[in-house]
Amino acid sequence: MVNIVTDVLLDVQELSHSFKLDRNITIKAVDDISFQIRKGEIFGLVGESGSGKSTVARCIMNVYRPVSGKVIYKGINTCDLIEFRKNKKLLQTSRQFIFQDSTSSLNGRMKVADIIAEPMQIHHIKPKRGTLRSEAEFQLYYVGLDKSYLDKYPYELSGGMRQRVAIARALSMEPELLVADEPIAALDVSIQAQIINLFKHLQKEHGFSILFIAHDLAVIRYLCDRVGVMYRGRLVEVADTKELFENPKHPYTKALLSAIPVPDPRIAWTLDIEN
């Protein structure tokens, strides 16, 4: 078991963020939430669309600047501009973001080899395997694609393949924290299972932490060590995955769990009769 106190990698403290629609209307997307992610942990953030999950991810990754609160990563307050600039390279390399839409997150004019190697070029990182292409080939193989894909463009790949390329690009930085914002939502069910298993395998191999955002509770149950449940911008419950599914505390969590479809229609029919 990971030590709760000394092994905290990410500490989100009283985070809030709002979007101003016009002069008179402001929408509070995230409202005073706090949670921690430990080293080597997969933390799931779940909730319906519009609950604020993606806004939390973007605040953590400095895409948005929170209205209030702190995001402490490895002891660095990433919301403080001075601290961020002082530790910019560390923050931009050891944290990596995987988006839901791989089509827009990959440059359609670049070949796969160049997409994977781009972060190393930007941050002037010497490839461990000699050349940028060799490094790209290694990372691609690691996510289940062979070197024949190196010279292909994103539009020549399936959605699952593009997402694997996005993961390979992130892994090239050897991150300590991977933030995955609904990375399987746009994929077919069979491909979703492949990507989820890939995440599980890679985390076991590398030992990095993952903030995994999803609305599919079955995926969260299979993949995550702990879960945070978001509802209307607030974090209403945080618990170990097993505890959350067996003994949910908040009414919204109970409602989410009760909405999980039962695979066997005969069981579902029996439950309807009993209820």
Side-chain angles (χ1 to χ4, degrees):
M1 179 63 70
V2 180
N3 185 286
I4 296 176
V5 178
T6 61
D7 283 347
V8 171
L9 180 67
L10 181 77
D11 189 4
V12 177
Q13 303 176 1
E14 301 174 347
L15 184 72
S16 295
H17 190 63
S18 301
F19 294 102
K20 194 166 186 178
L21 301 184
D22 58 33
R23 187 176 300 176
N24 300 313
I25 301 175
T26 299
I27 302 295
K28 180 166 273 191
V30 176
D31 187 8
D32 192 31
I33 73 166
S34 300
F35 65 94
Q36 296 178 332
I37 298 179
R38 307 163 194 165
K39 294 177 182 177
E41 175 181 54
I42 303 179
F43 185 93
L45 200 57
V46 67
E48 61 192 11
S49 296
S51 61
K53 306 185 301 298
S54 293
T55 302
V56 171
R58 283 161 171 74
C59 287
I60 288 171
M61 295 299 291
N62 297 102
V63 177
Y64 298 153
R65 188 178 180 185
V67 171
S68 63
K70 295 180 180 180
V71 177
I72 310 295
Y73 173 75
K74 299 188 71 172
I76 303 163
N77 181 6
T78 65
C79 300
D80 184 283
L81 288 177
I82 295 174
E83 285 197 49
F84 179 84
R85 288 169 183 161
K86 185 178 177 181
N87 299 279
K88 188 174 181 179
K89 185 172 182 178
L90 169 69
L91 294 172
Q92 290 185 338
T93 56
S94 69
R95 306 177 307 162
Q96 292 295 309
F97 206 163
I98 296 175
F99 296 90
Q100 175 180 335
D101 184 7
S102 58
T103 303
S104 60
S105 67
L106 302 180
N107 189 332
R109 296 183 178 183
M110 294 175 67
K111 292 181 179 180
V112 166
D114 299 321
I115 289 171
I116 297 173
E118 186 179 27
M120 290 179 280
Q121 288 182 305
I122 291 173
H123 296 290
H124 307 290
I125 294 173
K126 185 178 180 180
K128 286 186 175 181
R129 288 151 193 95
T131 66
L132 290 172
R133 187 175 179 86
S134 296
E135 188 68 33
E137 181 181 337
F138 174 83
Q139 297 298 346
L140 202 60
Y141 174 79
Y142 212 71
V143 298
L145 296 175
D146 61 53
K147 63 182 180 181
S148 65
Y149 292 94
L150 286 171
D151 293 312
K152 292 186 180 295
Y153 291 93
Y155 69 84
E156 298 179 277
L157 307 178
S158 67
M161 289 175 180
R162 286 195 299 270
Q163 201 60 285
R164 287 174 187 265
V165 171
I167 295 169
R169 177 177 61 183
L171 292 181
S172 70
M173 292 289 94
E174 298 185 348
E176 293 183 59
L177 175 65
L178 202 60
V179 176
D181 185 11
E182 301 211 38
I184 62 169
L187 305 177
D188 293 336
V189 174
S190 60
I191 306 301
Q192 287 182 5
Q194 293 176 22
I195 299 299
I196 288 300
N197 284 323
L198 177 62
F199 271 109
K200 199 173 185 73
H201 169 73
L202 292 172
Q203 193 279 332
K204 187 176 180 180
E205 289 285 317
H206 288 264
F208 47 61
S209 302
I210 302 177
L211 172 59
F212 192 91
I213 296 171
H215 60 266
D216 189 328
L217 285 167
V219 169
I220 292 292
R221 187 173 195 172
Y222 174 72
L223 185 65
C224 300
D225 301 305
R226 288 192 305 134
V227 186
V229 180
M230 289 200 67
Y231 178 60
R232 294 186 176 179
R234 297 189 67 88
L235 193 63
V236 296
E237 187 165 356
V238 177
D240 289 346
T241 303
K242 184 178 180 181
E243 175 67 19
L244 184 104
F245 278 82
E246 292 181 355
N247 188 29
K249 305 293 186 185
H250 195 274
Y252 178 69
T253 308
K254 294 176 181 178
L256 279 180
L257 295 177
S258 68
I260 298 176
V262 180
D264 190 330
R266 292 169 298 179
I267 297 175
W269 182 81
T270 303
L271 290 174
D272 289 338
I273 293 297
E274 291 176 349
N275 292 331

